[in-house]
Amino acid sequence: MQMPFCPKLWDRSPVPPANAIAVNGTVVVANTFGLSAPGKSTTLRLFSGTQIDHETGKGKLSPEAPLRGGKKSKHGKTSTTTYHVTFVVDADFGTPGAVSVRNGNRADRFFLRHVRLELAEDRSIHFECNSWVYPYKKTAADRLFFVNTSYLPSKTPEALVLLRDEELRSLRGDGKGERKDWERIYDYDRYNDLGNPDNPEHVRPVVGGTRTHPYPRRCRTGRAISNTDGVTETRKHVINLDFYIPPDERFSPGKLEEVLKLGVQAVTHFVIPEARTLVHGNDFKSMEQLRKDLYSRPVQPAVDGEVMERLKSSVPSHKTYKQVAKAVKEEHPAKFPIPQVIQQDPEAWRSDEEFAREMLAGLNPVAIKRLQTFPPVSSGGKRSSITAEHIKSQLGDVTIEMAMHQKRLYILDHHDYLMPYLRRINTLGVCIYASRTLLFLKADGTLKPVVIELSLPSDGEGDTELSRVFLPATHGTEGHLWQLAKAHVSVNDSGYHQLISHWLFTHAAVEPFIIATRRQLSAMHPIHKLLEPHFKDTMQINTLARSILLNAGGILERTMYPGKYAVEMSSAIYGDWRFTEQSLPNDLLKRGMASSSNEPGGLTLHIEDYPYAVDGLEVWHAIDGWVRSYCAHFYHSDKEVDGDAELQAWWHDVRTVGHGDRQGDQACWLALDTVDHLAQTLSTLIWIASALHAAVNFGQYAYAGFPPNRPTRCRRFVPLPGSPEMTQLEADPEKFFLEMVPDRFTATLGLALIEVLSNHTSDEVYLGQRATSTWTDDGQLLRLLDRFREDLRRVERRVEERNKDPRLKNRRGPAKVPYTLLFPDVAGQEKGLTGKGIPNSVSI
């Protein structure tokens, strides 16, 4: 046994009495600034996993054992303290299956990383914890952690069955009362915390739970109160950085410090751009000034007292305000990094080829579709104003019928979902169209935009539209109009990307699965262990997003064109969401970008050089292979899947509560009755949380970091012939363009946001990685994981090869930005603003 660290009385190992044995172990706790370390009042007890106490029906329970010593240590990059513990148990105690921990501190919690027991004959048992343990004085209950062996419910050792059931029931709670920091309760709630019914400017509809406003559920994080809009969660501040989150979903101490800094930075950026505007005015005068102000020199003036007072009223506590104020005062003037899209060629973004290429390899490569009907037809049956005369001269010697048959016409369609909202959106001081962009696949594999249609609702109350059609041009007034039309399309796409492709289809869609997993799948369940790394930090990131980004008056409402209608509009789109269509193969089939075939992988891409799809399919097949081998390791028949009570309860929770607003659509879900259906479901979920999120998140700064390339709102419509606005455009097209796209404040605030979102954090765990090698004691699973990693390394090599192939023009494009967003980075060495690497989870 290792000698104790300190020669104190409480460091000494107990001497076991006759007919008893000593089980020695180590306890590793992360060091957390400002919190007391666990002391001798913190005790642990073991539950036997093999021997039952017939009075309780649970495993035999050891006497309490206090912590001893406390030696500073290091686990990875985390500063830790390692304690020793000795349990004295009866000789017939059996093999430990669970450990309970009682925090004897009066007030402070601690972050427990793991407990490891050393048994006879060089055997050891590991309990992976990674959780906050709160004082018993607050919780009135010990924390329980199970051994790192996976058991299906039907194969759980009898001594652990009741403990397994009790733990799950405690996590589900009773749905009552106000949440306390120390409670580990997972309950569903609607998005009823975004508005403030007491402020007319910040009233927002509750989404989720109604036919008119369907939405995924979130985790309940506060106290529900009744208001005029229904049941709304208590909200004390417009910007709230202090919020409840179940302890197991909270950031580790290291991540907590890093994200607090990011949170403070986000709040600070409400202030800094506004102060800049007071000094410099709210419009960029030229593209040269925009580049100089954003990327070439410091532009941060001192923040005046009035602005700081406004900030003070927005944050929840004096402590938080002091942190923000200090950051504002000490933040040195710094330029934004030059985004990749203008690093090599500052004018390439203007080209039609780059405009189209970004639909295949940019930050939103999931919206483009193959054109199925010409001219396009809306969901209500109304035909587009685009005619054959508009495009036939641009197809060379190919007719429209031939182009359709050869699958060479594509569409970026931001029309149907927008039209019902345009009248209201355009009362918010913005000028937004609904758009359709048609593109032609050229012989060299690149796309050529051939027409843009911009539409507005008519002045009347009906559904008639006023549409204008713009054709490609490079010179004169027609060239200027074409550039303005492309900017309006980019505005539509930017809004859809941030609110739908990014927030709704990844962040919001995943959270119900996390809640259901915690409520219904024991930590011992193999599917819980499979999914665990793909849920890391998501719930806390989502809560932060609701507090700063999505809330009434938040950053997204202030920067994106839908404004206060953003979440409501995303709710309407969620009404057509189907989980079964979220796997990459099914998504490509639905959008008409691929067809089923007998080729390896079962799909044929209609655009061979479609970087997102090509790289994504290789990542998808690696994920699917890993998941299928994992499931086959535990489920040897379909009957075992159908008969797994925890798994079926999990799936019921997801379908009827978490995504309950979509339960009526039978095509939305697979029946979880076969091993194949289970594997498809889990592969899709892991794809969404890892690769899909990486594809739509980490390229944001590379492309939208230059605001003219991806404007988020427009302040002017495209001028009509003979109008005073047309005269202004012809006199100074650059000035008109800059007066149309977001102003200085909006652009800078949006830039600050996407710089944060595009960063890989320091404790990122990438696809194919686990935080520790001790997540399981099953050697076969570890070998399967090694095989998964090797599959991902092969993907990396092929991505690098494709990016070097000059024939694949969409891999780099005129802007010369290589496509690396689905480069897995199994080694996990890429940090910061890299534009590459697939984290396991939606963690930023």
Side-chain angles (χ1 to χ4, degrees):
M1 180 178 132
Q2 185 175 344
M3 293 297 294
F5 174 64
C6 299
K8 296 179 180 178
L9 180 63
W10 65 286
D11 289 340
R12 297 175 185 171
S13 302
V15 178
N19 299 320
I21 58 174
V23 179
N24 295 315
T26 53
V27 178
V28 176
V29 174
N31 297 330
T32 307
F33 179 77
L35 296 180
S36 302
K40 60 183 178 181
S41 58
T42 293
T43 58
L44 291 78
R45 304 178 84 179
L46 294 178
F47 281 96
S48 174
T50 56
Q51 299 297 317
I52 297 177
D53 180 336
H54 294 289
E55 291 186 4
T56 65
K58 305 172 186 176
K60 287 186 174 182
L61 183 61
S62 75
E64 290 184 327
L67 296 180
R68 307 192 319 277
K71 185 174 183 179
K72 290 183 178 180
S73 51
K74 198 94 170 175
H75 287 76
K77 296 181 179 179
T78 304
S79 172
T80 57
T81 299
T82 299
Y83 298 89
H84 295 277
V85 63
T86 299
F87 301 92
V88 178
V89 299
D90 293 338
D92 62 351
F93 182 80
T95 303
V99 59
S100 70
V101 183
R102 176 173 295 190
N103 179 352
N105 289 345
R106 292 180 59 84
D108 285 344
R109 66 193 188 276
F110 60 83
F111 191 82
L112 180 61
R113 287 182 62 92
H114 69 253
V115 177
R116 188 175 186 84
L117 305 180
E118 303 300 330
L119 306 182
E121 301 174 354
D122 296 325
R123 290 177 57 215
S124 63
I125 292 180
H126 188 87
F127 301 88
E128 194 73 15
C129 305
N130 291 315
S131 181
W132 292 100
V133 180
Y134 276 78
Y136 181 83
K137 183 177 179 181
K138 294 182 176 180
T139 64
D142 297 343
R143 277 301 312 275
L144 186 71
F145 299 97
F146 292 106
V147 69
N148 66 341
T149 304
S150 297
Y151 296 106
L152 292 175
S154 62
K155 298 180 180 180
T156 307
E158 187 178 356
L160 299 178
V161 170
L162 286 180
L163 290 172
R164 180 174 184 148
D165 182 61
E166 287 178 359
E167 177 76 358
L168 283 175
R169 280 192 280 112
S170 71
L171 290 168
R172 289 193 285 267
D174 60 9
K176 300 176 182 178
E178 183 176 1
R179 293 288 176 262
K180 307 297 183 184
D181 284 348
W182 53 85
E183 290 182 326
R184 297 171 60 242
I185 296 177
Y186 294 83
D187 204 359
Y188 297 98
D189 209 342
R190 300 177 295 164
Y191 279 71
N192 55 8
D193 61 340
L194 301 180
N196 181 357
D198 299 324
N199 181 346
E201 294 298 317
H202 289 160
V203 173
R204 300 291 181 269
V206 173
V207 293
T210 65
R211 289 187 177 183
T212 53
H213 294 117
Y215 221 62
R217 301 299 189 270
R218 64 175 180 89
C219 188
R220 181 181 159 202
T221 56
R223 178 170 60 91
I225 60 173
S226 295
N227 284 291
T228 55
D229 66 338
V231 178
T232 301
E233 193 168 276
T234 303
R235 186 179 190 82
K236 297 179 180 179
H237 302 276
V238 174
I239 303 168
N240 184 16
L241 300 182
D242 297 337
F243 42 72
Y244 165 84
I245 197 80
D248 287 353
E249 309 306 323
R250 295 178 192 168
F251 299 136
S252 65
K255 178 84 177 258
L256 183 65
E257 181 179 349
E258 184 172 359
V259 172
L260 177 60
K261 182 178 179 181
L262 293 178
V264 169
Q265 180 179 337
V267 178
T268 302
H269 281 128
F270 269 95
V271 181
I272 299 300
E274 192 158 343
R276 278 197 194 107
T277 299
L278 296 175
V279 175
H280 296 286
N282 206 23
D283 276 321
F284 295 108
K285 304 305 180 186
S286 65
M287 288 290 183
E288 180 182 2
Q289 186 197 50
L290 182 149
R291 292 191 185 97
K292 182 183 294 184
D293 283 1
L294 293 181
Y295 315 116
S296 298
R297 64 182 176 85
V299 294
Q300 180 176 315
V303 180
D304 70 6
E306 180 183 351
V307 175
M308 290 306 297
E309 280 301 311
R310 290 172 57 187
L311 174 66
K312 190 174 184 177
S313 65
S314 297
V315 295
S317 68
H318 183 65
K319 179 181 178 182
T320 305
Y321 169 75
K322 286 179 65 177
Q323 291 173 320
V324 176
K326 182 179 179 182
V328 171
K329 183 177 180 180
E330 295 181 355
E331 186 177 304
H332 297 292
K335 62 183 181 181
F336 287 107
I338 299 175
Q340 285 178 285
V341 74
I342 60 169
Q343 281 181 7
Q344 300 297 319
D345 182 346
E347 298 300 320
W349 66 276
R350 296 182 188 269
S351 70
D352 288 356
E353 184 179 338
E354 180 63 24
F355 172 72
R357 184 194 77 90
E358 291 181 19
M359 300 178 197
L360 302 174
L363 58 85
N364 191 34
V366 296
I368 188 172
K369 302 174 184 178
R370 183 164 57 85
L371 187 65
Q372 306 284 357
T373 304
F374 184 87
V377 178
S378 69
S379 56
K382 182 178 176 59
R383 283 177 173 263
S384 163
S385 59
I386 298 171
T387 67
E389 293 299 318
H390 288 127
I391 69 170
K392 65 181 184 181
S393 64
Q394 301 182 63
L395 307 184
D397 57 359
V398 178
T399 66
I400 293 175
E401 291 74 17
M402 290 171 59
M404 294 287 288
H405 179 72
Q406 296 170 4
K407 300 178 175 58
R408 296 177 67 180
L409 281 177
Y410 293 83
I411 183 170
L412 186 68
D413 194 343
H414 293 298
H415 180 275
D416 287 6
Y417 72 89
L418 256 179
M419 286 303 297
Y421 289 91
L422 279 185
R423 283 193 178 95
R424 287 180 285 168
I425 287 173
N426 284 333
T427 66
L428 303 177
V430 294
C431 299
I432 306 299
Y433 297 98
S435 67
R436 292 185 178 108
T437 305
L438 268 54
L439 306 106
F440 176 64
L441 180 63
K442 301 196 303 183
D444 64 359
T446 63
L447 287 174
K448 171 188 176 182
V450 293
V451 65
I452 291 173
E453 177 191 57
L454 300 181
S455 301
L456 289 169
S458 64
D459 295 334
E461 292 297 321
D463 61 355
T464 56
E465 300 175 11
L466 302 174
S467 298
R468 298 177 65 187
V469 174
F470 299 87
L471 301 179
T474 56
H475 302 291
T477 300
E478 295 303 312
H480 302 324
L481 292 173
W482 176 246
Q483 289 296 330
L484 297 185
K486 288 196 297 181
H488 274 278
V489 171
S490 294
V491 167
N492 286 173
D493 200 56
S494 293
Y496 188 91
H497 161 260
Q498 197 64 273
L499 297 169
I500 310 303
S501 303
H502 183 207
W503 164 255
L504 177 61
F505 289 169
T506 64
H507 285 259
V510 167
E511 185 159 348
F513 288 92
I514 303 175
I515 304 168
T517 300
R518 306 306 190 207
R519 287 168 55 88
Q520 304 295 352
L521 296 180
S522 166
M524 286 191 287
H525 199 292
I527 302 306
H528 186 125
K529 288 186 181 291
L530 172 69
L531 295 177
E532 178 74 27
H534 303 290
F535 297 156
K536 178 180 180 289
D537 298 338
T538 300
M539 197 176 289
Q540 185 147 21
I541 284 292
N542 285 2
T543 307
L544 185 62
R546 296 197 310 273
S547 301
I548 294 178
L549 307 182
L550 293 163
N551 58 303
I555 294 179
L556 288 188
E557 287 197 357
R558 297 179 69 164
T559 58
M560 309 303 295
Y561 73 82
K564 67 180 183 179
Y565 301 108
V567 174
E568 182 181 346
M569 189 174 75
S570 72
S571 166
I573 292 171
Y574 175 70
D576 295 321
W577 177 88
R578 287 176 172 171
F579 180 76
T580 50
E581 295 173 347
Q582 304 310 303
S583 72
L584 180 58
N586 287 349
D587 169 61
L588 293 171
L589 291 171
K590 178 190 176 185
R591 291 190 285 122
M593 303 302 290
S595 297
S596 298
S597 71
N598 295 323
E599 294 185 9
L603 291 181
T604 297
L605 291 174
H606 300 313
I607 300 178
E608 293 183 9
D609 184 16
Y610 183 0
Y612 164 73
V614 173
D615 295 0
L617 284 171
E618 291 190 356
V619 173
W620 165 265
H621 290 307
I623 292 172
D624 194 51
W626 153 243
V627 169
R628 290 182 181 278
S629 63
Y630 187 99
C631 290
H633 183 69
F634 290 99
Y635 296 98
H636 304 120
S637 69
D638 294 341
K639 185 178 179 180
E640 286 185 313
V641 172
D642 197 37
D644 185 334
E646 286 185 9
L647 187 68
Q648 296 303 324
W650 172 76
W651 196 225
H652 183 268
D653 243 31
V654 169
R655 291 182 296 110
T656 64
V657 188
H659 281 287
D661 296 342
R662 300 295 300 126
Q663 63 180 309
D665 184 352
Q666 296 302 311
C668 190
W669 310 100
L670 291 172
L672 213 59
D673 54 3
T674 66
V675 179
D676 177 62
H677 282 184
L678 174 61
Q680 287 186 54
T681 297
L682 297 173
S683 294
T684 299
L685 177 55
I686 291 171
W687 164 262
I688 294 170
S690 59
L692 178 58
H693 179 258
V696 299
N697 181 68
F698 293 105
Q700 291 191 72
Y701 193 82
Y703 293 101
F706 184 60
N709 185 51
R710 297 284 298 184
T712 58
R713 50 173 44 176
C714 278
R715 296 177 287 161
R716 305 184 76 168
F717 291 115
V718 179
L720 293 168
S723 66
E725 290 79 9
M726 182 66 81
T727 302
Q728 294 172 14
L729 173 65
E730 292 172 337
D732 193 337
E734 184 171 284
K735 184 174 184 288
F736 190 97
F737 182 93
L738 290 172
E739 289 177 351
M740 184 183 80
V741 297
D743 57 31
R744 180 192 296 271
F745 168 76
T746 305
T748 311
L749 179 58
L751 200 58
L753 170 63
I754 62 171
E755 184 186 19
V756 172
L757 294 179
S758 301
N759 265 279
H760 286 291
T761 55
S762 60
D763 72 340
E764 207 83 88
V765 182
Y766 290 86
L767 192 62
Q769 295 179 335
R770 290 278 174 152
T772 69
S773 61
T774 51
W775 64 278
T776 181
D777 61 359
D778 190 326
Q780 178 62 18
L781 288 184
L782 294 174
R783 287 188 287 275
L784 291 175
L785 183 61
D786 284 340
R787 190 170 73 187
F788 178 37
R789 274 195 287 263
E790 188 51 45
D791 288 343
L792 292 172
R793 290 189 184 99
R794 281 193 286 270
V795 175
E796 291 177 351
R797 291 192 288 271
R798 287 193 286 265
V799 168
E800 290 175 336
E801 290 169 2
R802 286 191 286 267
N803 282 341
K804 294 176 182 177
D805 189 339
R807 296 170 299 177
L808 303 177
K809 296 186 177 182
N810 295 325
R811 302 294 307 191
R812 304 179 72 90
K816 298 180 176 59
V817 181
Y819 190 73
T820 57
L821 291 171
L822 289 176
F823 180 91
D825 189 27
V826 178
Q829 297 176 348
E830 300 291 345
K831 307 299 179 186
L833 210 60
T834 66
K836 67 193 301 186
I838 303 176
N840 272 320
S841 63
V842 181
S843 57
I844 191 68

